Amino acid sequence: MSISKVLMTALLLGVTGLIACQNNTKSPNDMGKKKEKIEIDSAEVLSEKVLTVEQQAELTPDTVIAILKKGNEDFVSDALTVRNNSTRIRQAALGQYPKAVILSCLDSRVPVEDVFHRGIGDLFVARVAGNIVNEDILGSLEYACKVSGSKVIVVLGHEHCGAIKAAIDNVKLGNITALLSKIRPVVTADTPFEGEKTTKNKEYVDHICLENVKLSIHNIREKSPILKEMETKGEIKIVGGIYKMETGKVEFFELP
């Protein structure tokens, strides 16, 4: 073995030994400490089982909306329970029959399943900046409702939305430009608003956020005959919601 290989081997052995020593060494703060066992009351575990196709079929759109509203109340009041994810993963492995599909913004500050206090198998979640509607989103919503039986579509906007602000400022940047072009119609539309129409005005940003959710609902109905027909027959409902960043509350609304 060459001298260089000997030195490299020794160096690697030294590093390995150092890592092993570090991994086996307890800090002074850990000395004498015992592991604490935390017990959780069964009532605090989200034990509701994953829906079967029969249970999903019995739900009405209004019932599902009520469930989502109650879940959001739990979220706002910090009354969330522990999810038994390992059990629900196994239950949902061979099929899924979610109650609703949420079209949400990409924003990391809006944890959709938590917002509605739901677990694995409960919701379809489609996420795209500005909760806009395009062909891929429409296909996803059609799959969720027509194929998999979801009863409600919620278009969920939120306060302080970066995509909304970028659309107001008419940002031009790569593929973001094409995305923002789907929000721009509500910026350029002559909707009633009194006040400064810039991103410095929170009320104006909120106004455009709301109008953008309305536009997405309109686009779903206009561009998906499948979903439009399902809604007309009462098989599904398409509703809007605005997520309040400071409280976590979702303000639902329906459009005629």
Side-chain angles (χ1 to χ4, degrees):
M1 183 181 293
S2 67
I3 295 176
S4 61
K5 288 185 177 180
V6 171
L7 292 175
M8 181 60 70
T9 301
L11 178 60
L12 289 174
L13 288 174
V15 171
T16 304
L18 177 60
I19 293 173
C21 289
Q22 289 177 338
N23 288 338
N24 291 326
T25 301
K26 294 183 178 180
S27 68
N29 293 332
D30 293 332
M31 299 300 290
K33 281 188 177 180
K34 294 182 179 180
K35 291 183 179 180
E36 295 183 4
K37 184 178 180 181
I38 300 175
E39 295 185 359
I40 301 174
D41 191 286
S42 59
E44 297 299 318
V45 178
L46 185 61
S47 58
E48 179 184 347
K49 293 183 178 180
V50 173
L51 283 184
T52 65
V53 63
E54 293 81 12
Q55 291 170 331
Q56 184 199 54
E58 292 175 358
L59 293 171
T60 67
D62 286 335
T63 299
V64 172
I65 291 172
I67 291 171
L68 295 176
K69 288 181 176 179
K70 175 60 172 65
N72 183 239
E73 289 175 6
D74 291 339
F75 176 71
V76 171
S77 62
D78 204 23
L80 298 183
T81 55
V82 177
R83 292 176 174 87
N84 193 340
N85 284 334
S86 58
T87 298
R88 293 176 71 88
I89 287 172
R90 291 191 292 272
Q91 290 175 349
L94 299 180
Q96 57 172 339
Y97 308 99
K99 302 175 180 69
V101 52
I102 316 297
L103 171 54
S104 171
C105 182
L106 187 70
D107 200 290
S108 65
R109 299 166 294 178
V110 188
V112 177
E113 284 86 356
D114 283 340
V115 165
F116 296 109
H117 197 185
R118 298 293 96 201
I120 290 171
D122 283 333
L123 299 174
F124 284 111
V125 180
R127 304 198 70 151
V128 60
N131 40 272
I132 56 94
V133 171
N134 58 22
E135 185 180 51
D136 299 321
I137 292 296
L138 287 172
S140 298
L141 299 180
E142 289 173 353
Y143 173 80
C145 296
K146 189 65 176 181
V147 178
S148 291
S150 292
K151 305 292 184 178
V152 174
I153 296 172
V154 180
V155 180
L156 185 64
H158 67 90
E159 291 182 312
H160 311 301
C161 180
I164 295 296
K165 292 179 180 179
I168 293 172
D169 290 337
N170 200 18
V171 170
K172 305 287 186 182
L173 179 63
N175 292 301
I176 296 174
T177 305
L179 185 147
L180 296 179
S181 70
K182 297 175 177 62
I183 303 174
R184 284 290 297 174
V186 298
V187 178
T188 58
D190 188 21
T191 54
F193 182 83
E194 294 183 3
E196 183 183 3
K197 295 183 177 181
T198 70
T199 53
K200 295 178 181 178
N201 186 352
K202 181 183 181 301
E203 290 184 0
Y204 180 64
V205 175
D206 290 344
H207 168 74
I208 295 299
C209 176
L210 176 61
E211 293 301 314
N212 183 57
V213 171
K214 292 178 182 179
L215 176 63
S216 289
I217 292 174
H218 169 77
N219 286 337
I220 292 169
R221 291 169 171 168
E222 182 74 17
K223 298 179 180 181
S224 174
I226 290 175
L227 296 173
K228 175 62 176 176
E229 181 183 20
M230 292 183 74
E231 185 180 37
T232 300
K233 290 181 176 179
E235 296 171 354
I236 65 170
K237 273 195 172 183
I238 305 172
V239 301
I242 302 294
Y243 177 81
K244 300 295 184 178
M245 285 293 200
E246 286 79 11
T247 64
K249 182 175 177 57
V250 174
E251 294 185 354
F252 286 86
F253 63 90
E254 296 185 30
L255 295 178

